[in-house]
Structures are given as C-alpha cells and as structure tokens.
Amino acid sequence: MEYDPSIIEKKWREKWEEDPYFKVKNDRSLKKFYCLDMFPYPSGSGIHIGHWKGYVLSDVYARIKLQQGYNVLHPMGWDAFGLPAENYAIKQGIHPRISTEKNIKNFKRQLSVVGAIYDWQKEVDTTDPKYYKWTQWIFLQMYKNGLAYQDEMPINWCPKCLTGLANEEVISGECERCGTEVEQRKIRQWVLKITKYADRLIDDLDELEWPEKVKLMQKNWIGKSYGSRVIFKVDSIDAEIPVFTTRPDTLFGATFIVIAPDHELIEKITTEEQTQAVKKYQQEVSHMSEIDRTAEHKEKTGVFTGSYAINPVNNKKIPIYTASYVLSSYGTGAVMAVPGHDQRDFEFATKFGLKIEEVVKLHNEPEDLFDSEGNLMHAAEGEGILINSGEFDGLESHTDGFNRIIEGLEKIGLGKKEVCYRLRDWIFSRQRYWGEPIPLVHCQDCGVVPVPEDQLPVELPDVESYQPTGTGESPLAAIDWWVNTECPRCGGPAKRETNTMPQWAGSCWYFLRYPNPNLDDKPFDKDDVKYWLPVDLYIGGIEHAILHLLYSRFYIKVLYDLGHIPFKEPFKKLFNPGMVCMYSEKSGRVEKMSKSKGNVVCPDDIVKEFGADSLRMYMLFIGPPEMDCEWKMESIKGVKNFLNRLWDFLTKPENIVEKVDQDSEKRFHRFLKDYQNRIEYFKVNTAVASIMEYLNDLSKNKLKLDKQILEKFLTALSVMIPHFSSELLEKLLNKKLQGSVWPDFDEKLAAQNEVDFIIQINGKLRATLKVQKGLSQGDIQSQAEVAVSKWIKEKNVVKIIFVKDRLLNFVVK
C-alpha cells in the first residue's frame, strides 16, 4: 500500500463532509467539552501558518474528548466587522460586504483542509444582521443600566484609519492596526463603564486556569494603586488642586505641582504673564499621544503657570507647572512632584532648576546616590526612614510614616486614603462605516432614546460610498434617508446615532451564540448556556491578552449581574500558542512571518506538497506549543519522511501478528502512557517525539503489533493525523474513526523495568549501565566498579554517593 496523502485526505474530507460524525449531540446527559479557537477576522491574505498552529492544537484536545465520550462543541466563525476588513476593502476598491463574503469563503475552504472536527452547523458571522441584532441588544442592556454614556473627550485619533481608538488599541504611541502615530482629538464618543468592574476583573483572575503571564498583564493594565488623595490649596486664588499619590510618606519632599495641559483649572490658575506660554505649550501637546507623553526616557518639557500651591503638611509655597507627562484622564490630572524620591520628577526639577529635598533615608543606599558635595545624583527611590519630615522623623516610610501622614491630613480635611486605577472607561464608538450601528436616536425634545428592542436590528445601510471622512463623523452621517427617523418615545423628528461599534463588540460574546446560532427571539438560550458554558478550553494568541480577553470578561460580568447568564467568567482554561517565525533575507534574522519581510509560508502550498497530516504533525512537533518557533522547510520534509516510514511499517504483514509477545506488549503500553501524559500537560511536541521513539524501537528490536494494539495505536494517533489513521483503520482493520474510544494503557505493563544507570567519577560521567529497576547500592556497586575500573584503579575512594535508579558517584583522591 502506497501512502499518497493527496488521495487519502481528499477521500476522508469528502466522507466527513457527508457524514460529520463529530457534530454536537442533543443528549444533555452526556458530559460536555466546549473547545474554542479565537475566531479569525477573514483577511484577504487567507489563513496563515500561525492559524494552523492554534487550530491543530485545539483539534487534538477536541478529538480526545470526543473519543472519551464527551459531547464536544468545537465551532468556528468569523470576526468580520471592524477596521481590518474595512481597510482591506478600501485597498481593493470594493465594498467591505463583498470582500468579507469572498474572504470567508476562502477561509472556509482552507479550514476544510485542516481536518479539524468543526461543527459547521454552529457557524457565526458577526456581520450577519441576525447576529448583530443581539450585539445591539447587549449594548441596550448596558445603556439602560447606566453602563454606557456619551461624552466629548480627548481620545486617541489615528490619522490614517481616521477613527478614534481605545487606549488598549495604541501600542507605543502607534495605531495597533496600521502602525501610524496617533494624535489627540476631542470628539463625541460613546463610552462603557468598564472601570466599575475593575476590582472584580482583578479578583476573579484567581479562579481561572490561565497563564500567569496573561493574568499579570491584565492586573497591570487595570493598575490598581493604593495611596492617598491630597488637597493643595492654590495661593491667592479660591481653588484647590486634588492629587492622588501612592507615596504620601514623601509629602514633605513635594517641591512643586504638575497639572495636565488640559486640566479644568489650567485657565483659572494661569497668570496673565504666563498665558501666552501656556497656550503655546497646550497646542504642542495636543498633537502627542498618551504613550508618547508618558514615555519613560522622553525629555521632560513643561511651562510654569505663574501660580503657587500650599503644601498642606508644612504650608510652604510651591510652584505649579503644566507638563505633558501628566494626563487629565489618570488620577486627578495633577501630581505632587517629589524630585528627591521620583526619577521622573528629579529629571524635571533638574531641568527647570527646582528644589530637590531628601525626606527618606534609604535602608540600602546605592553608592552613586550622592556627589562629593552631598547632593543627590538621582532620585532615592525605595523604602527607608523619614527625615526632614517634622514630627514624623524616624518613622518607617512605607508603614507608620505612610499611615500617620494620611491620618494627619484627614484631621485637617486635606486628605484621605484612596484607591486609583490605570484602567479607563472603554471608548466604544468608531467613526467608520463597517461596524454595528449603535441602536440609539437623538431627539431634540427627548434627548438620547434607545431603539425599541422589537425594532432591532438597526441594519447597516448598503451604500456605495463608505470611506472614512476624517471629520470626526462616521460616513453614515451623510446618509440622510437613514439618519433621519422618528423618535421612538414622542414620535417627533430625530436622528440616528451615526458612530458604529468597534470590532470587539461582536467578539465579546460570540461564544455564547455558538450553542444555538439560529435563535431568532433571543441571543442565547438559558438552558444551552447552562449546559455548555463556560468554555472549557480557549486557545488563541497572547496578543489578545488585554483587548479581547479583558473586554469579554467585562461583558460576561455585566450579563451575569443582569441575570442573563449563571456564570461570571467566560473561559475556564486558556492556552496561548506561540507565533511561527521564519528567517527573513531582508533583515537577516528570524522574525514573525510578514509579507513585507518576504518570509511568509502559504499553508495551501505546503498541504499540496506534503499533505495536511504532515503539516498537522509538524505544527505540533515544531517546538513547545507555548513558545515562538522557527519554520524550517527541511524539518517538515523530515516529518513527511517519518510518516512514510510509519506507513511502510504498519502496512507490512509481517509486522502485524496474531498475538504479540510480552516485550512488544510492554513497549506499546509504555509508549501509550508516555504519549498521553505528554499531551495532557500540553507537551505535544514531545508526544510526537514519543511516536518517533516508539517506531524506532519497533524497527530496531523487531517488536510487533497485533490487531488490538494496532487499533489502539491508530486511534491514539488519529488526534494528530486523522486522515492517515482513518485510512489504515479502514484498510487494515475494517474499522472507522467514528465511535472509536480513547485507548487506556495498563499501568503494570507500562511500568519501566529497566533504567539507564549513570556511573560517575567525581561528578563526571564515565559509564552507563542498563539495569533492573529498584536495585540497591550493594546490588549495583560491583558492576559499577568493573565499568569504571580504569578511572578508580590506584585511586583512593573516599566516598560513594548513591541515588536509587539514577546514579552512583565515586568520589576519589
């Protein structure tokens, strides 16, 4: 029998399309397993090798659970609204609906080749009005419960995408999608109160089986800080400047105040002499992104307002500056500057010649802290004893000093303990066409009015001109017949909301829709949700650790609070596959695959040359699944050669006997135990290695398989190479994968009876003995002495170190 993947894989794809034995069962008495991939946005470039890495991995675990008798939900769909799809359509000069439908068709064709057990009856598409009707419904629940509000606010604006961006969509000052440096603009926006859930979004992470790295990323993004609110009165003006500080213990060292250039008090406290300089500076800062303004190593800039504040702990007058590194959206929009103990403040004070005072004597002072004249060379950051702090001198800064100074401020009504967060409310509207319309209307008499639920969906109008305007208005604003409508409350003239939702709106809840995607009267059925949710295993890239995962958790908590679902976290277990990288001749180094770098591999071409099973196995074998890995064409050739060898061995009649001997039986059960344990702990690359090791032993030691072992072997392999296994199950055993059972190993037969025992001299390896497991030092020492006789001859053995089943070390002189 010849192994020809092009014929075999086509055959089984067609069979599985005709009879998808893996589709979801209606039997709720079965244990369930919900295995989910982060669904792709259907770009024009199609599925790439990185997609395969995640999709094959999830398919392995879905197939195992299916063989273990679980009711498996392993669905696929399309995250098709938003900037990526619209930008691609603009580039191609076609309507995004047309390009999206075309791309989905291509993606689906490519996915059929993977051999994954997707139940296509569960398919969802975020651009389908039957789907986004319920995306709009969820928004209305938030609006009606005070979690969505309208505000004119400074936002991140991408001058290329011509839309506003949430903070999470800005990476190092650049648009997450196109890499263009963002600007600050003040635009009317719809915003969701995600900050109301900040504490729960942190606390509930403890319940999740997620990578610690992802949990930490979310905690850092939410940025919960404990400290104090301190009131600084403005000298000679009836005004107060509240600041939030995590270091109230350093308050005696505050020698100036810095407020954001767009702070609400800026005009009131700026003196006439400084007005021109402050306005000029405000104009400069307005073109900077938040990331750029707060960059750690950026040179500090600022302008004196002309006014002074009173430090509440010592009544000293300190100057008030405005500077770009302070944001109005964080804390109170003002900070007390302690240059002696904060490096950013130190750099600012040094540049502008402001006073620097030391008020904490560090427990561990660095050698370069002071110059020869005793002046601070840099900020003394850390814990220590308070000095130059009046009645608080001698107290530990981070404990008694921290608490006593806050207590003193509370007594005079100028301070209190407070918690602050880095997380900002979620800017939810976009000034683009390709997105879900926000289901609200604006009435002159009634104000903002929600569209009645029985009038959903508010469908996106099909228009020819959809390009972004760049004016701060969506292209929808120019479509009079769609914008002009009646107020649902009073019946008078009204206008529809013309901003659209962000791409994340549809992906925040899509996993709730998969169990029953054809419902017309509700977004999801409570019985379905109770049975299937939360998701048992979610596989997708770590690049979504903040955006998608944080937003989804917020959505679920809102729906839980409103009584629509019985759980408060969407994904029990999360696994992040690493990226697939490749050497780029342009850069001369291994990098993430990119067309611009000329290092992209098309999976269609690989499947055509090597077969889908070869690519599946290579994606699993390429390295630890959580790590980035390097694509090498020679390696996939090696995997294809291995499958040829395996096929040849299994199809030779002399290798399959009526009943195997004891050595063959034991070796199979050792393989099966090793293979399954490695898969269980997500060591799939080493699980592939165990198959290779087993084949080598079969050939080298002339071991055999019988039909019972062969069936178990092929069933175990089928989760990785389903077409290969299905063909041999049928041809050799007249069996089908449908109804196959995940094989069990016999613990007694799998027990390793021999071990490789290491013999060392002074810690250096000198010999290895294959011995029976469990031998004592007395049993093995004589053999060991013979094996290393030339190294211990005429030597004095002063000590022998024995580790059972592992090593014996002779310490000699």
Side-chain angles (χ1 to χ4, degrees):
M1 292 174 61
E2 183 183 352
Y3 176 46
D4 187 341
S6 62
I7 295 174
I8 291 168
E9 290 171 1
K10 181 176 184 294
K11 166 188 169 180
W12 287 102
R13 279 201 306 273
E14 290 174 354
K15 282 181 176 289
W16 295 334
E17 285 175 10
E18 292 170 8
D19 179 21
Y21 68 91
F22 40 76
K23 66 182 181 182
V24 173
K25 300 174 180 63
N26 292 324
D27 186 354
R28 296 296 168 85
S29 67
L30 295 172
K31 294 180 294 183
K32 67 91 180 181
F33 184 72
Y34 190 168
C35 183
L36 184 65
D37 296 295
M38 289 186 182
F39 67 165
Y41 66 83
S43 67
S45 56
I47 287 177
H48 54 72
I49 287 293
H51 284 120
W52 267 74
K53 186 176 181 183
Y55 297 161
V56 172
L57 188 66
S58 66
D59 194 54
V60 166
Y61 292 93
R63 284 179 174 275
I64 289 172
K65 290 298 182 182
L66 189 67
Q67 291 182 4
Q68 290 176 335
Y70 283 74
N71 193 6
V72 174
L73 174 58
H74 189 208
M76 180 53 71
W78 318 106
D79 187 15
F81 263 142
L83 288 179
E86 185 173 325
N87 286 343
Y88 175 79
I90 291 172
K91 188 176 180 181
Q92 297 297 313
I94 55 179
H95 195 282
R97 188 176 304 283
I98 296 172
S99 62
T100 297
E101 289 174 356
K102 179 182 176 183
N103 293 342
I104 286 175
K105 186 176 180 180
N106 184 46
F107 264 59
K108 198 167 180 179
R109 175 193 64 78
Q110 289 182 297
L111 278 173
S112 69
V113 177
V114 177
I117 54 171
Y118 294 127
D119 185 346
W120 288 107
Q121 292 182 345
K122 303 297 184 181
E123 181 180 4
V124 300
D125 176 355
T126 59
T127 67
D128 183 345
K130 293 180 180 178
Y131 177 86
Y132 71 71
K133 167 184 180 178
W134 301 110
T135 305
Q136 293 173 338
W137 178 87
I138 293 172
F139 174 84
L140 288 181
Q141 309 317 303
M142 293 186 179
Y143 177 77
K144 292 173 182 178
N145 286 277
L147 292 172
Y149 64 94
Q150 187 176 211
D151 195 10
E152 187 167 308
M153 58 194 301
I155 64 161
N156 305 301
W157 177 265
C158 176
K160 184 175 181 180
C161 294
L162 298 176
T163 191
L165 305 172
N167 287 341
E168 295 88 341
E169 295 172 300
V170 180
I171 309 297
S172 300
E174 297 177 348
C175 173
E176 184 245 356
R177 287 296 179 195
C178 70
T180 303
E181 187 173 350
V182 303
E183 302 171 353
Q184 294 292 297
R185 277 199 188 184
K186 208 165 189 178
I187 293 179
R188 180 183 67 84
Q189 295 286 353
W190 283 97
V191 187
L192 299 185
K193 288 186 179 179
I194 192 172
T195 53
K196 182 178 178 181
Y197 287 80
D199 283 329
R200 288 165 63 185
L201 287 168
I202 292 174
D203 296 341
D204 291 349
L205 285 169
D206 293 337
E207 301 176 12
L208 303 177
E209 193 180 346
W210 284 22
E212 288 303 319
K213 180 166 60 173
V214 176
K215 291 183 180 182
L216 184 61
M217 289 170 73
Q218 291 212 355
K219 287 178 181 177
N220 289 343
W221 186 260
I222 297 166
K224 186 175 184 178
S225 301
Y226 296 90
S228 172
R229 176 178 286 258
V230 182
I231 305 298
F232 287 79
K233 293 183 179 294
V234 181
D235 187 43
S236 304
I237 300 175
D238 183 19
E240 296 178 343
I241 300 177
V243 305
F244 172 80
T245 177
T246 59
R247 294 294 305 273
D249 51 303
T250 64
L251 196 51
F252 281 84
T255 58
F256 59 101
I257 293 287
V258 184
I259 68 172
D262 56 345
H263 194 284
E264 60 184 4
L265 288 175
I266 191 77
E267 289 187 19
K268 186 173 184 179
I269 66 173
T270 300
T271 62
E272 187 175 344
E273 295 80 7
Q274 291 298 108
T275 298
Q276 188 173 349
V278 169
K279 285 188 175 180
K280 181 181 178 183
Y281 185 70
Q282 287 176 310
Q283 184 65 26
E284 293 173 4
V285 174
S286 68
H287 296 292
M288 298 169 64
S289 70
E290 285 190 7
I291 302 294
D292 195 36
R293 285 171 59 178
T294 56
E296 188 175 346
H297 301 294
K298 189 175 181 64
E299 183 183 358
K300 303 300 180 285
T301 62
V303 174
F304 179 44
T305 64
S307 292
Y308 292 82
I310 306 299
N311 188 327
V313 294
N314 56 20
N315 291 320
K316 289 183 179 180
K317 288 171 59 175
I318 57 177
I320 305 172
Y321 277 73
T322 184
S324 62
Y325 71 81
V326 179
L327 306 175
S328 60
S329 60
Y330 182 73
T332 65
V335 299
M336 67 177 209
V338 185
H341 303 285
D342 182 281
Q343 187 60 28
R344 182 185 60 181
D345 297 340
F346 182 90
E347 292 169 6
F348 192 94
T350 301
K351 178 174 181 177
F352 290 95
L354 300 170
K355 194 172 182 180
I356 300 174
E357 291 189 1
E358 185 187 12
V359 295
V360 177
K361 193 71 174 175
L362 298 182
H363 291 310
N364 299 301
E365 288 186 348
E367 294 181 0
D368 64 343
L369 188 58
F370 298 100
D371 62 17
S372 57
E373 297 179 359
N375 298 312
L376 286 169
M377 295 285 287
H378 57 80
E381 296 179 320
E383 301 180 16
I385 301 296
L386 292 183
I387 59 174
N388 302 320
S389 298
E391 64 181 286
F392 306 103
D393 282 356
L395 296 177
E396 284 283 346
S397 61
H398 278 60
T399 53
D400 290 343
F402 183 99
N403 293 319
R404 291 273 300 279
I405 288 177
I406 294 177
E407 290 169 4
L409 291 170
E410 289 175 339
K411 287 178 182 178
I412 59 175
L414 294 177
K416 63 178 181 178
K417 283 186 178 180
E418 191 169 273
V419 177
C420 190
Y421 300 87
R422 180 178 183 265
L423 181 68
R424 303 270 67 85
D425 278 343
W426 177 10
I427 295 172
F428 193 70
S429 49
R430 297 292 181 270
Q431 296 70 44
R432 298 289 293 244
Y433 166 72
W434 193 238
E436 301 92 338
I438 294 175
L440 299 171
V441 299
H442 299 265
C443 173
Q444 285 188 343
D445 295 328
C446 304
V448 177
V449 180
V451 173
E453 293 179 12
D454 61 5
Q455 293 181 23
L456 298 179
V458 177
E459 291 202 31
L460 187 67
D462 197 4
V463 297
E464 291 185 12
S465 179
Y466 60 86
Q467 286 76 8
T469 63
T471 63
E473 289 279 0
S474 160
L476 296 177
I479 307 172
D480 291 340
W481 66 264
W482 185 83
V483 173
N484 295 315
T485 186
E486 289 185 356
C487 173
R489 187 171 295 161
C490 70
K495 293 184 179 293
R496 294 192 186 279
E497 172 60 51
T498 57
N499 281 335
T500 53
M501 298 185 196
Q503 179 186 1
W504 315 107
S507 64
C508 282
W509 74 281
Y510 75 109
F511 43 89
L512 298 178
R513 186 71 174 175
Y514 274 138
N516 200 336
N518 299 312
L519 283 174
D520 291 325
D521 60 341
K522 49 194 166 188
F524 42 80
D525 180 82
K526 285 193 174 184
D527 289 336
D528 288 336
V529 167
K530 185 178 180 181
Y531 176 70
W532 284 110
L533 276 295
V535 171
D536 295 288
L537 175 62
Y538 198 21
I539 293 182
I542 197 169
E543 66 270 19
H544 298 295
I546 301 300
L547 292 159
H548 165 60
L549 290 173
L550 188 67
Y551 293 159
S552 295
R553 295 181 63 221
F554 164 61
Y555 260 53
I556 291 305
K557 291 183 186 305
V558 170
L559 292 172
Y560 171 79
D561 287 354
L562 298 179
H564 297 296
I565 55 176
F567 56 94
K568 57 185 179 180
E569 284 290 340
F571 317 117
K572 288 181 184 177
K573 184 179 179 69
L574 173 72
F575 189 87
N576 302 125
M579 292 188 299
V580 181
C581 305
M582 188 177 176
Y583 179 79
S584 168
E585 292 185 357
K586 290 185 178 181
S587 66
R589 60 177 181 269
V590 176
E591 296 181 302
K592 178 183 177 182
M593 286 186 180
S594 167
K595 281 186 177 180
S596 64
K597 296 167 186 170
N599 65 342
V600 171
V601 174
C602 176
D604 289 0
D605 297 336
I606 300 300
V607 170
K608 186 176 180 181
E609 183 174 357
F610 298 101
D613 280 341
S614 290
L615 183 51
R616 283 176 65 105
M617 181 169 271
Y618 180 56
M619 286 287 91
L620 298 169
F621 186 54
I622 197 170
E626 72 277 10
M627 303 292 290
D628 293 348
C629 55
E630 181 182 358
W631 173 274
K632 292 182 178 179
M633 194 62 73
E634 287 302 316
S635 297
I636 191 171
K637 289 178 183 176
V639 169
K640 175 60 165 44
N641 290 336
F642 168 74
L643 289 181
N644 283 332
R645 283 180 54 220
L646 182 61
W647 181 277
D648 289 343
F649 184 91
L650 296 177
T651 54
K652 285 181 179 177
E654 62 266 30
N655 292 325
I656 312 299
V657 297
E658 193 67 30
K659 177 64 179 173
V660 296
D661 59 28
Q662 191 177 53
D663 287 344
S664 296
E665 189 175 24
K666 285 183 176 180
R667 183 62 185 92
F668 171 72
H669 284 274
R670 287 205 306 272
F671 154 74
L672 192 57
K673 178 181 179 180
D674 191 40
Y675 175 74
Q676 293 185 351
N677 285 344
R678 292 177 183 189
I679 290 177
E680 182 181 354
Y681 292 102
F682 280 83
K683 306 296 182 185
V684 290
N685 57 315
T686 63
V688 175
S690 70
I691 304 171
M692 296 176 174
E693 293 162 6
Y694 180 49
L695 179 60
N696 289 339
D697 276 359
L698 287 172
S699 302
K700 179 182 176 182
N701 300 315
K702 294 183 171 51
L703 301 175
K704 307 296 182 182
L705 295 81
D706 56 28
K707 289 187 176 182
Q708 184 181 15
I709 287 177
L710 179 60
E711 182 178 354
K712 288 185 176 183
F713 184 50
L714 290 172
T715 301
L717 296 191
S718 71
V719 301
M720 294 187 177
I721 45 174
H723 312 87
F724 180 106
S725 299
S726 293
E727 183 69 9
L728 290 184
L729 279 168
E730 181 183 73
K731 292 290 191 249
L732 301 178
L733 300 170
N734 196 28
K735 301 267 189 175
K736 287 188 176 181
L737 205 53
Q738 181 174 354
S740 62
V741 176
W742 186 239
D744 293 326
F745 57 84
D746 186 309
E747 190 66 62
K748 290 182 179 179
L749 292 172
Q752 187 80 28
N753 293 323
E754 290 185 330
V755 293
D756 290 325
F757 200 89
I758 294 170
I759 313 300
Q760 297 177 333
I761 305 294
N762 291 342
K764 291 185 178 180
L765 176 65
R766 294 304 186 192
T768 302
L769 299 175
K770 188 172 286 292
V771 299
Q772 185 178 344
K773 189 176 181 181
L775 291 181
S776 67
Q777 180 177 336
D779 294 330
I780 201 170
Q781 185 170 326
S782 59
Q783 296 180 57
E785 288 171 348
V786 172
V788 296
S789 58
K790 69 177 181 178
W791 284 284
I792 61 175
K793 189 178 181 181
E794 299 178 357
K795 296 283 186 179
N796 182 26
V797 179
V798 297
K799 186 178 182 181
I800 297 176
I801 301 170
F802 174 76
V803 180
K804 189 176 181 180
D805 293 332
R806 291 186 59 192
L807 66 84
L808 189 147
N809 179 28
F810 292 98
V811 180
V812 301
K813 282 189 178 180

